[in-house]
Amino acid sequence: MVGPSRALLLVIAIACCLSSSAMNVTYDGRAIIIDGQRRVLISGSIHYARSTAEMWPDLIQKAKEGGVDAIDTYIFWNAHEPSRGEYNFEGNLNFIKFIKIVQDAGLYVVLRIGPYVCAEWNYGGFPVWLHQIPGIELRTNNDIFKAEMQTFTTLIVSMIKKEKLLAPEGGPVIITQIENEYGNFIKKYGDSGKKYIQWCADMAKSLNVNVPWIMCQQADAPSPMINTCNGFYCHKFKPNRPSIPKMWTENWTGWFKGWGESQPHRPVEDVAYAVANFFASGGTFQNYYMYHGGTNFGRTSGGPYLTTSYDYDAPLDEYGNIRQPKWGHLKQLHSAIKMMEKILTYGEVNTTQLGNALAVTKFSINETSSGCFLTNANQSNDANATYNGNTYLVPSRSISILPDCKKEVYNTAKVTTQTSLMVNKPVKSTKLSWKWHSEIMEDTLNGKGSFSNESLLEQIMTTGDASDYLWYMTSVTLNKSSTPWRKKMNLRVKTKGHILHAYVNNRLIGSGYATKGSYKFDFEQEAELRDGHNFITLLSATDGLANYGAFFDLQKAGIDGGPVELIGNGKEKIDLTKNKWSYKIGLNGEMSKIYLPSASHGLNWNSDRLPINKSMTWYKTTFEVPDGNDSLVLDLQGMGKGHAWVNGQSIGRYWPSFLAADSGCEPCDYRQKYDSDKCRTECGMPSQRWYHVPKSFTTKGPNTLILFEEVGGDPSQVSLQMVTIGTVCANVVEGSILELSCQGSRSFSKIQFASFGNPEGSCGSFKKGSCEAPDALAVVKKACIGRSNCSINVTANAFGPSECSDLSRRLAVQAIC
């Protein structure tokens, strides 16, 4: 952490990466142009701050192997400038190092500076100290905000220029972004919004990066900004000027998840259909958001109420493992698209309707070279499409790619890559032995705070988001002659969220939190009062700050004006709102950094009578990390809500007691247009049970795990587990090549099922059909057992004769790694 003058922009010097030649990057109405050649570009979003530096090379290499040309990443302002004028570009925030690793892999970079990023990230990536500057208004024509934004944006550009990371200087950065999805709400900002966007364009242009600038979801993006599309589908999108290419900056490969929500999935057949449709409609740049989602370590998740996991059902899962079949099926798509790169970017296009929702889109150059997309838009019926004398089976809602308009090399619905079912296995010989310590609350429960005020303060402005927690404390003196007076009265609190714990006279009387989609709620619980002095202590907790929407930065939290009342029978009440209130920011254990394993804190950790379901309690244990490359996760089943640290590194908030609704997990059909409420799984289960423990957070010796439990849980149920491939399946048509992999050092130990013919079912439930070749199981065993990878040509010659010769035959396999 360093703190230079804001007038002197900080530049971090890092050892130079491999040298590269300068590239000229421009654009026209067809494509991004690199060194005079129009390009079809496939990009994937990987956020450096949602992974660890040790994970970056592996993630980037897997993206490259998946057919990605570029890595897209945001720059997170609040992470890099947590306090005004103090910067952090170290460790997992060293985006310069991240870009150089991308360059070393031979890939390009799309740098989305923003600096507003949304990204389901806390406060949309803005530092909360902006909110505290007098007179500031965010994301509008406000001079104070614009000065801060320009300072940070200029800093980032100066850093990449210093390291020669822009393409014209020999670096990998070919595209930069200013602002983000502002067009979705620009009308809310009126004329000031229009002036602000023009200022953004002028400011960006003045930085002279000499690569294209983009503005996503900004239909009125001023020249020379390129407006782009975000969404599940962008084939109908049209740029706002004929001189700019059609670009898709966010193809959502899945969806983010909130506490109390089930697991979102997006079928790969639908993702592939959307991508093929986009390129068939003239698109030439497409970015997957996300290609690797990663983890919201620390307190970085936004929302509110967004989970620590940001897995996003991406081609690379939260831990960096290849998600099959999504990764493999998209890799095949990229290869097919690349076969047509020159035709797509230079050719003339013509679409012919074949009837019954069938169409062929042909790109051609001087009638000497052509490529075709054969589309079946019908959502329920497969079709035999005849084109140029050839017949093609095109499944419903799918697109076949014919790079020469003759031979089909790919179909978006014909998945031939393997399905990998990941499993979590407990770490052997690891029994956690716990110690515990109660959060010290004597002072706060008796009304002793750090400062006071004559009113109920708003939480974000008061804490600056330095902690999730703000204590509100007051007292009231009652006696039997008071009006009203009852030994038992209801404490009623109106709060803007997100969570509230109420104490009366040192006793927790109840807790509450808002329901989905609302961050305000009313808390009411009976309290037992006494004759004399009564202490009222309210602990308000946030769970990620808003990150999206018009004026999202003005969304309030905490009790903020209340009212807070004691209610008797009928209309009887005592209004405590205008009392003198004392305040304290954070927890004592949090402020003393009890989560650091090296600090003694003068605490005596208890090792006997482990408390269960006890709120406001710290738990401590140690563990050893097993050998191997499998991902390490913490199973927090049984815990309530809180925060976890490994060796002082935060692995994020946890809330496994927040269960998803029992309904909403219906069968998934890729043929139906996708939205984020479809294809859900794990209804009625914890929204997040597993928490990523990066290997870089651990050591060879004993590792310290600290949990702060806010509402009460059972740490005896907590365990360490390893994520590994359990079952591998495939179901491929005759004429394909079956490729199976254990994705690591393990090899195939068992073939559970193999049938060549017309097998039925899916992975985990395969069964033989009405006919099959007799040698399938033996052939697959010989090819795969004892190997980490195996490949088989799926032909009748390989498997022997069968009675299925007049049918479309398939090979179904289920194997154990």
Side-chain angles (χ1 to χ4, degrees):
M1 187 79 70
V2 289
S5 164
R6 291 179 64 78
L8 299 174
L9 296 178
L10 171 72
V11 174
I12 301 294
I14 299 173
C16 187
C17 57
L18 298 177
S19 60
S20 301
S21 301
M23 294 180 288
N24 181 35
V25 183
T26 57
Y27 59 86
D28 61 15
R30 294 298 297 271
I32 296 292
I33 302 172
I34 300 178
D35 286 342
Q37 297 295 315
R38 292 174 181 161
R39 295 294 307 275
V40 165
L41 293 170
I42 307 288
S43 176
S45 289
I46 299 176
H47 294 154
Y48 57 91
R50 279 187 162 125
S51 54
T52 63
E54 289 75 10
M55 295 173 67
W56 295 343
D58 182 63
L59 294 173
I60 292 164
Q61 185 60 36
K62 286 174 178 173
K64 181 179 181 179
E65 291 171 0
V68 166
D69 302 302
I71 301 298
D72 167 294
T73 191
Y74 281 128
I75 299 293
F76 296 94
W77 187 359
N78 57 1
H80 293 302
E81 193 176 2
S83 298
R84 194 179 186 190
E86 294 187 358
Y87 298 93
N88 185 0
F89 296 98
E90 301 171 355
N92 300 336
L93 297 179
N94 190 340
F95 77 91
I96 294 290
K97 179 179 178 180
F98 178 83
I99 292 174
K100 289 185 176 182
I101 293 173
V102 176
Q103 182 178 24
D104 288 347
L107 300 179
Y108 301 122
V109 171
V110 177
L111 195 64
R112 302 177 73 177
I113 301 173
Y116 166 73
V117 298
C118 181
E120 292 71 60
W121 188 265
N122 195 53
Y123 213 51
F126 282 155
V128 174
W129 55 258
L130 283 173
H131 185 63
Q132 298 174 310
I133 299 175
I136 198 168
E137 296 177 71
L138 276 55
R139 299 184 83 194
T140 190
N141 191 38
N142 175 273
D143 289 340
I144 302 171
F145 170 69
K146 290 190 296 183
E148 296 293 336
M149 176 175 166
Q150 184 165 5
T151 296
F152 182 75
T153 305
T154 304
L155 166 62
I156 298 303
V157 170
S158 70
M159 290 177 68
I160 61 175
K161 283 185 175 181
K162 174 71 175 182
E163 297 298 324
K164 300 187 183 304
L165 295 176
L166 290 163
E169 300 164 339
V173 179
I174 59 169
I175 297 170
T176 48
Q177 178 176 311
I178 196 72
E179 250 297 340
N180 188 45
E181 295 185 332
Y182 190 75
N184 293 346
F185 303 101
I186 189 170
K187 291 182 180 179
K188 300 280 186 179
Y189 292 87
D191 187 57
S192 290
K194 295 179 180 179
K195 291 179 180 178
Y196 167 63
I197 280 298
Q198 183 63 58
W199 173 84
C200 286
D202 294 340
M203 186 268 287
K205 185 179 178 181
S206 73
L207 296 175
N208 297 316
V209 297
N210 296 316
V211 298
W213 282 98
I214 59 174
M215 279 185 173
C216 68
Q217 295 293 87
Q218 193 66 47
D220 60 349
S223 180
M225 304 294 112
I226 301 173
N227 73 305
T228 69
C229 180
N230 290 354
F232 291 118
Y233 309 100
C234 281
H235 56 283
K236 294 182 179 180
F237 167 75
K238 294 182 179 180
N240 64 8
R241 302 188 305 278
S243 60
I244 59 179
K246 180 173 178 174
M247 300 177 66
W248 189 0
T249 36
E250 291 188 15
N251 176 4
W252 302 327
T253 56
W255 200 240
F256 55 87
K257 180 176 54 176
W259 301 117
E261 296 180 1
S262 51
Q263 299 287 338
H265 302 280
R266 185 182 180 193
V268 68
E269 297 94 332
D270 182 72
V271 179
Y273 179 78
V275 173
N277 215 1
F278 176 73
F279 284 108
S281 65
T284 53
F285 173 94
Q286 189 270 166
N287 175 66
Y288 295 107
Y289 188 96
M290 299 292 297
Y291 199 81
H292 169 258
T295 307
N296 292 314
F297 298 115
R299 300 170 53 250
T300 57
S301 60
Y305 297 153
L306 294 184
T307 59
T308 295
S309 171
Y310 198 68
D311 180 83
Y312 222 92
D313 199 39
L316 300 179
D317 71 15
E318 178 178 3
Y319 318 115
N321 298 313
I322 291 174
R323 172 174 275 120
Q324 294 283 38
K326 187 166 280 187
W327 182 88
H329 192 52
L330 294 177
K331 175 183 178 178
Q332 294 172 354
L333 170 62
H334 305 155
S335 177
I337 294 292
K338 287 296 183 177
M339 292 180 186
M340 302 168 62
E341 181 173 44
K342 185 174 181 180
I343 298 170
L344 292 176
T345 55
Y346 289 90
E348 298 297 322
V349 61
N350 180 61
T351 297
T352 302
Q353 299 297 326
L354 304 179
N356 297 321
L358 291 168
V360 60
T361 300
K362 181 178 181 180
F363 290 79
S364 57
I365 301 175
N366 298 327
E367 298 185 358
T368 60
S369 181
S370 62
C372 291
F373 295 88
L374 188 55
T375 302
N376 180 1
N378 190 294
Q379 293 190 346
S380 49
N381 296 323
D382 299 346
N384 286 309
T386 300
Y387 178 69
N388 279 350
N390 296 315
T391 300
Y392 308 89
L393 173 62
V394 188
S396 57
R397 199 166 179 269
S398 76
I399 297 176
S400 291
I401 297 177
L402 291 62
D404 59 358
C405 288
K406 297 177 183 178
K407 182 180 179 181
E408 176 187 305
V409 301
Y410 182 87
N411 177 273
T412 60
K414 298 175 183 178
V415 180
T416 61
T417 194
Q418 74 181 47
T419 294
S420 300
L421 301 183
M422 308 301 290
V423 295
N424 293 351
K425 297 182 177 180
V427 175
K428 295 180 180 179
S429 304
T430 301
K431 181 174 176 57
L432 301 177
S433 179
W434 293 93
K435 297 180 179 181
W436 62 278
H437 196 285
S438 296
E439 167 69 9
I440 299 172
M441 300 188 293
E442 182 179 357
D443 285 347
T444 49
L445 295 182
N446 287 290
K448 297 178 183 178
S450 304
F451 59 96
S452 60
N453 196 280
E454 299 296 330
S455 62
L456 287 161
L457 300 176
E458 193 275 333
Q459 185 164 349
I460 301 171
M461 182 67 81
T462 303
T463 67
D465 198 37
S467 169
D468 283 350
Y469 302 100
L470 178 63
W471 297 88
Y472 295 74
M473 297 160 278
T474 193
S475 61
V476 58
T477 300
L478 301 172
N479 55 61
K480 294 181 179 179
S481 62
S482 300
T483 303
W485 158 252
R486 293 183 183 278
K487 187 175 181 181
K488 292 185 178 180
M489 301 179 74
N490 279 9
L491 175 65
R492 180 185 295 168
V493 182
K494 183 179 287 292
T495 177
K496 295 179 173 62
H498 309 139
I499 301 101
L500 183 71
H501 307 294
Y503 299 82
V504 175
N505 295 328
N506 294 289
R507 176 176 171 267
L508 177 67
I509 65 167
S511 302
Y513 54 88
T515 56
K516 180 182 177 181
S518 173
Y519 311 120
K520 303 176 182 179
F521 66 97
D522 293 342
F523 171 88
E524 185 166 346
Q525 190 68 37
E526 184 180 76
E528 187 168 331
L529 303 171
R530 61 194 178 196
D531 189 356
H533 211 54
N534 293 269
F535 292 103
I536 312 294
T537 300
L538 306 174
L539 177 59
S540 177
T542 55
D543 193 86
L545 304 185
N547 58 264
Y548 183 71
F551 307 104
F552 76 88
D553 52 293
L554 300 181
Q555 189 176 112
K556 295 182 178 181
I559 300 172
D560 186 35
V564 176
E565 301 165 319
L566 289 171
I567 309 296
N569 287 342
K571 297 181 180 180
E572 296 178 348
K573 67 180 179 180
I574 299 173
D575 192 348
L576 305 178
T577 306
K578 295 183 179 179
N579 274 25
K580 182 176 181 180
W581 288 86
S582 294
Y583 295 89
K584 181 180 177 180
I585 298 171
L587 308 171
N588 279 315
E590 188 180 22
M591 297 302 109
S592 64
K593 298 183 179 180
I594 194 175
Y595 50 81
L596 294 179
S598 59
S600 65
H601 313 292
L603 296 178
N604 292 318
W605 288 86
N606 299 295
S607 56
D608 58 343
R609 297 192 304 276
L610 182 69
I612 304 301
N613 296 324
K614 184 177 184 295
S615 65
M616 306 299 285
T617 303
W618 296 85
Y619 294 100
K620 177 180 180 180
T621 191
T622 59
F623 64 91
E624 300 285 345
V625 175
D627 294 331
N629 297 319
D630 290 333
S631 302
L632 185 65
V633 296
L634 191 62
D635 180 2
L636 291 179
Q637 181 84 312
M639 298 305 290
K641 175 186 180 294
H643 203 125
W645 294 263
V646 170
N647 295 330
Q649 299 271 7
S650 171
I651 61 172
R653 301 183 183 99
Y654 66 81
W655 202 347
S657 62
F658 207 151
L659 304 182
D662 291 328
S663 60
C665 293
E666 303 297 332
C668 182
D669 186 347
Y670 78 86
R671 297 174 298 178
Q672 304 302 311
K673 186 176 180 180
Y674 181 77
D675 64 55
S676 59
D677 290 328
K678 293 181 178 178
C679 300
R680 294 267 173 168
T681 63
E682 299 186 29
C683 287
M685 304 295 288
S687 294
Q688 186 176 349
R689 173 179 174 179
W690 314 97
Y691 297 80
H692 185 201
V693 181
K695 289 292 182 67
S696 62
F697 285 10
T698 64
T699 67
K700 285 291 184 182
N703 295 271
T704 301
L705 168 64
I706 302 284
L707 303 178
F708 171 69
E709 176 54 52
E710 183 180 318
V711 301
D714 182 1
S716 67
Q717 297 185 42
V718 172
S719 66
L720 286 164
Q721 306 211 4
M722 306 298 290
V723 181
T724 186
I725 291 183
T727 303
V728 171
C729 298
N731 191 351
V732 300
V733 297
E734 184 176 3
S736 303
I737 298 177
L738 170 69
E739 294 181 343
L740 299 177
S741 172
C742 285
Q743 300 180 26
S745 58
R746 289 184 311 280
S747 57
F748 289 105
S749 60
K750 184 178 181 180
I751 306 300
Q752 293 180 310
F753 181 90
S755 178
F756 178 68
N758 60 343
E760 299 174 353
S762 59
C763 190
S765 61
F766 284 132
K767 60 182 180 179
K768 296 179 180 180
S770 60
C771 60
E772 67 170 350
D775 300 331
L777 184 60
V779 170
V780 175
K781 282 183 175 181
K782 182 178 179 180
C784 298
I785 291 293
R787 299 180 181 179
S788 60
N789 301 279
C790 57
S791 177
I792 303 172
N793 287 318
V794 183
T795 65
N797 290 336
F799 294 98
S802 73
E803 319 90 69
C804 305
S805 57
D806 58 337
L807 301 174
S808 176
R809 290 172 292 208
R810 302 186 316 281
L811 171 65
V813 175
Q814 183 168 311
I816 299 294
C817 290

